[in-house]
Amino acid sequence: ENMQRRIFCIAIVIAVILMLLGTALGFYFGLRRSGGPSPTPSPTASPTIPVTPFPTNGLGLTLSTTIQNELPAISFDDPLAPASRALDWLTNEDASYTSGLSFSRMLQRFALVSLWYSLEGWNNQNGGWLQPGRHECDWDDSNYDKDDVTCNENSLVRKVQICCGGLTGRLPEAELTLLSKLTLLDVHSNALQGTLSTWLGAFREMKWLDMYGNQFEGTIPTEISNLRLLEWWSVAGNSKLVGNVPTEIALLTKLSILYLHDTDLSGSVPSNLCPNLERADIECDRIDCECCQDHSGTQCTTPPATNPVPPPSPSPTTTFQLNLVSLIRSRVPSVTFDDPTSPQSLAVEWMATEDAAYSAGLSDERLLQRFTLTTLWYSTGGEWTWNQEEVGWVVPGVPECSWNDSNYNKRDITCNNDQVIRVQICCGGLAGKLPGEELSLLTRLELLDVHSNSLTGTLPTQLGAFPTMVWLDLYNNEFEGTIPTEIGELGNTLEWWSVAENNLVGTVPTEMAQLTKLSIIFFQGTDLSGSIPSNLCPNLVRADIDCNDLECDCCQDHSGTQCP
């Protein structure tokens, strides 16, 4: 019995020893795997932020899909990225407001929220940005004497002005391109970094671009030439900008103000810009320019250019091109081709080169018609503003009557016996000016519809040159000036006419009394004054005006209230 007890005790001791040995070995190998004992967490260490998958709710799925349809390369994988934080704010803190917005407003709001998260140093004064439930067009933060965000009557952002606040960070390039109607971007006198990459070319309606006094670096992208409406441009005070001024800025023929001083840029300012330049400040010892000055106001001398812009090629250059130019001038004597970047020159160049095999076999009337439509395409932005969906315009070898681009439910061009009778290019955000002289070559035109674009300039006097015009819709553009008296020449045919929602001024011309077939007119939303001739009343089915500005015996305001 004693022997059994001894054996039992020895077994217990051996088991305990084995257990202790196993524990020791486990601890040893655990240290080997981890590289040593875990340090005691510092009480000041930032907690690890868990990676939250995006999106996490129905609104998030909808919004992220909408964004990625517009910006396929954008990712929400990093929850700390500005885009992810913007999506999170919109679909959580701001969900009750964002969920009721149109897709265009959602994208616009996302772009501005991304901008806010991308930059640091906001004051959050004047109400600040990122206020849940508040319209993004009302967000304001800066001490600048301009509103941070300015929108048009359709609640689309037209201006972003966030200067002078010491903001740091990088502009969210992809997200900003969602603000497709932007006409002014002012970020001067901050400390923004990054390169000026191809995203700058996405703003087809941009007129004012101020990037002065930041820390941008690299070269100026050639895509800057896409901004054909640009009038005011500064990249001055960015000492890390290098390389040559791109020769493509020769296409920025509307530039009147240019600041390139206090940079490391070299090369030359194209001489074709000089006639319009009111002020151009550069580093005279680094950049060649015939009409520029240094920032003190001292005129630059003009040494032989070290990197000159190639002179324009003489035009025309081929027999077909010579014949085409001669034909056009025989119908429109005042048209010129001196400027190789003008819509007329670009149209002739395209027809005589890319489209030569097709154009050379056309009749004179078809050549003039094709030239007119090609000029219209170049005049209103060309590839930079047109969708180029479906067939597209300016397609070599394709009959012009088959050109079609827009998302409108009508064909862009309608022909009868190969003659254009309708041009309907509404609702596409087209910019630029109507080429009045060239359009007059479409002598059989019955309908011209350009409504809901961003066309500028005055109404061409050639509007009276269409003897068969029935329908003329110029609604909701940015036309200015007065209505030409030549409109009276459409008296035998015009039935439907709208110039509403434009910047038109002056008195309604008395020649309008000749338009005795008019049944529909829309004049509201303008600064026109005077009166609608009473002899038109018997035929008018609808006549909408601003009753406070215009007199009319048979008109109403746009709400339907009869004018007194």
Side-chain angles (χ1 to χ4, degrees):
E1 183 178 344
N2 290 334
M3 179 64 67
Q4 288 177 342
R5 287 180 179 174
R6 271 191 209 133
I7 292 172
F8 179 73
C9 291
I10 291 170
I12 291 175
V13 170
I14 292 172
V16 170
I17 290 172
L18 289 174
M19 287 175 62
L20 292 173
L21 181 61
T23 301
L25 289 172
F27 180 72
Y28 171 75
F29 285 109
L31 289 179
R32 290 283 301 270
R33 286 191 201 97
S34 64
S38 300
T40 302
S42 168
T44 59
S46 300
T48 302
I49 300 176
V51 176
T52 304
F54 281 89
T56 58
N57 56 35
L59 175 60
L61 285 167
T62 299
L63 183 52
S64 63
T65 300
T66 302
I67 294 166
Q68 289 176 324
N69 283 341
E70 296 292 325
L71 305 172
I74 200 167
S75 170
F76 300 106
D77 294 340
D78 179 1
L80 300 182
S84 297
R85 297 175 72 187
L87 181 62
D88 183 53
W89 183 84
L90 290 166
T91 56
N92 288 287
E93 293 183 52
D94 195 53
S96 61
Y97 184 82
T98 295
S99 60
L101 300 180
S102 65
F103 285 162
S104 61
R105 283 281 309 285
M106 284 184 181
L107 292 172
Q108 173 174 283
R109 199 166 176 87
F110 168 73
L112 293 174
V113 178
S114 295
L115 175 60
W116 191 84
Y117 277 118
S118 296
L119 307 180
E120 295 182 359
W122 297 86
N123 297 316
N124 283 332
Q125 298 178 1
N126 301 325
W129 287 40
L130 270 64
Q131 296 183 64
R134 188 178 186 187
H135 201 303
E136 64 275 11
C137 294
D138 296 327
W139 289 350
D140 194 34
D141 171 280
S142 71
N143 296 320
Y144 194 33
D145 61 349
K146 308 289 186 182
D147 292 335
D148 288 8
V149 181
T150 303
C151 298
N152 64 11
E153 66 278 3
N154 297 320
S155 294
L156 296 177
V157 174
R158 300 289 275 173
K159 298 178 181 180
V160 173
Q161 297 170 280
I162 50 174
C163 97
C164 323
L167 297 175
T168 61
R170 296 171 182 257
L171 294 175
E173 301 175 358
E175 292 89 330
L176 275 181
T177 63
L178 294 172
L179 304 178
S180 59
K181 292 290 185 180
L182 207 60
T183 61
L184 182 150
L185 177 62
D186 181 358
V187 297
H188 83 264
S189 301
N190 286 297
L192 303 180
Q193 299 173 322
T195 59
L196 305 182
S197 60
T198 58
W199 64 276
L200 275 180
F203 302 103
R204 298 163 181 170
E205 299 183 29
M206 185 73 72
K207 295 181 179 180
W208 185 298
L209 181 58
D210 192 352
M211 317 191 87
Y212 168 81
N214 282 281
Q215 298 172 17
F216 294 117
E217 59 188 53
T219 59
I220 295 176
T222 58
E223 287 79 3
I224 194 70
S225 64
N226 297 354
L227 310 186
R228 304 296 175 87
L229 301 180
L230 195 63
E231 299 173 4
W232 201 106
W233 180 32
S234 175
V235 291
N238 288 279
S239 60
K240 296 180 181 179
L241 284 180
V242 298
N244 283 338
V245 176
T247 57
E248 287 81 0
I249 75 167
L251 297 173
L252 305 181
T253 55
K254 294 184 180 295
L255 266 183
S256 60
I257 303 293
L258 176 65
Y259 294 105
L260 302 178
H261 58 90
D262 295 319
T263 67
D264 224 3
L265 294 168
S266 55
S268 61
V269 174
S271 59
N272 72 297
L273 301 182
C274 286
N276 285 334
L277 283 175
E278 297 174 10
R279 178 159 186 173
D281 289 12
I282 65 170
E283 302 287 349
C284 296
D285 58 344
R286 298 185 59 82
I287 298 175
D288 298 328
C289 180
E290 298 175 3
C291 54
C292 301
Q293 59 185 13
D294 64 30
H295 202 46
S296 68
T298 305
Q299 194 71 20
C300 297
T301 57
T302 310
T306 57
N307 186 28
V309 177
S313 302
S315 180
T317 57
T318 66
T319 301
F320 172 64
Q321 200 165 348
L322 280 166
N323 293 337
L324 178 58
V325 167
S326 178
L327 173 64
I328 295 166
R329 284 177 170 159
S330 71
R331 302 293 181 90
V332 188
S334 58
V335 72
T336 66
F337 301 95
D338 296 335
D339 178 1
T341 64
S342 71
Q344 298 85 351
S345 296
L346 292 171
V348 166
E349 178 71 18
W350 178 81
M351 292 177 68
T353 53
E354 295 182 51
D355 194 53
Y358 183 82
S359 287
L362 299 179
S363 65
D364 286 355
E365 296 307 315
R366 285 282 308 284
L367 282 173
L368 291 170
Q369 177 173 278
R370 199 168 178 85
F371 164 74
T372 298
L373 295 173
T374 306
T375 301
L376 175 61
W377 188 79
Y378 279 115
S379 295
T380 51
E383 62 185 295
W384 311 119
T385 57
W386 292 71
N387 296 318
Q388 291 300 90
E389 297 178 354
E390 299 188 23
V391 176
W393 280 45
V394 191
V395 183
V398 174
E400 62 276 10
C401 291
S402 299
W403 291 351
N404 197 47
D405 172 279
S406 72
N407 296 320
Y408 193 33
N409 62 356
K410 307 290 186 183
R411 287 195 59 80
D412 289 6
I413 300 168
T414 304
C415 294
N416 182 17
N417 295 325
D418 287 334
Q419 290 186 312
V420 174
I421 59 172
R422 296 181 181 180
V423 173
Q424 296 170 279
I425 50 174
C426 97
C427 323
L430 301 179
K433 298 182 179 182
L434 290 178
E437 291 183 313
E438 291 76 18
L439 277 178
S440 67
L441 293 171
L442 302 179
T443 56
R444 301 298 299 274
L445 201 61
E446 299 173 1
L447 183 150
L448 177 62
D449 180 359
V450 297
H451 82 264
S452 300
N453 285 298
S454 298
L455 301 177
T456 58
T458 58
L459 300 183
T461 59
Q462 291 82 6
L463 285 179
F466 303 103
T468 57
M469 183 71 74
V470 175
W471 186 297
L472 180 58
D473 192 352
L474 306 171
Y475 167 79
N476 194 24
N477 280 279
E478 298 176 19
F479 294 119
E480 59 190 8
T482 59
I483 295 177
T485 59
E486 288 81 359
I487 197 71
E489 297 173 19
L490 305 183
N492 294 326
T493 57
L494 193 62
E495 299 175 6
W496 200 107
W497 181 28
S498 176
V499 291
E501 306 299 335
N502 279 285
N503 303 320
L504 297 174
V505 298
T507 303
V508 174
T510 57
E511 288 80 1
M512 185 176 169
Q514 300 170 32
L515 305 178
T516 54
K517 292 188 178 295
L518 269 180
S519 61
I520 304 289
I521 58 170
F522 294 102
F523 277 27
Q524 78 277 1
T526 68
D527 272 331
L528 293 168
S529 57
S531 61
I532 303 297
S534 59
N535 71 301
L536 301 182
C537 287
N539 284 335
L540 284 176
V541 176
R542 180 165 183 173
D544 288 12
I545 65 170
D546 291 321
C547 297
N548 293 330
D549 297 326
L550 287 167
E551 297 178 4
C552 180
D553 296 337
C554 54
C555 300
Q556 60 184 13
D557 65 29
H558 203 45
S559 67
T561 304
Q562 196 70 20
C563 293

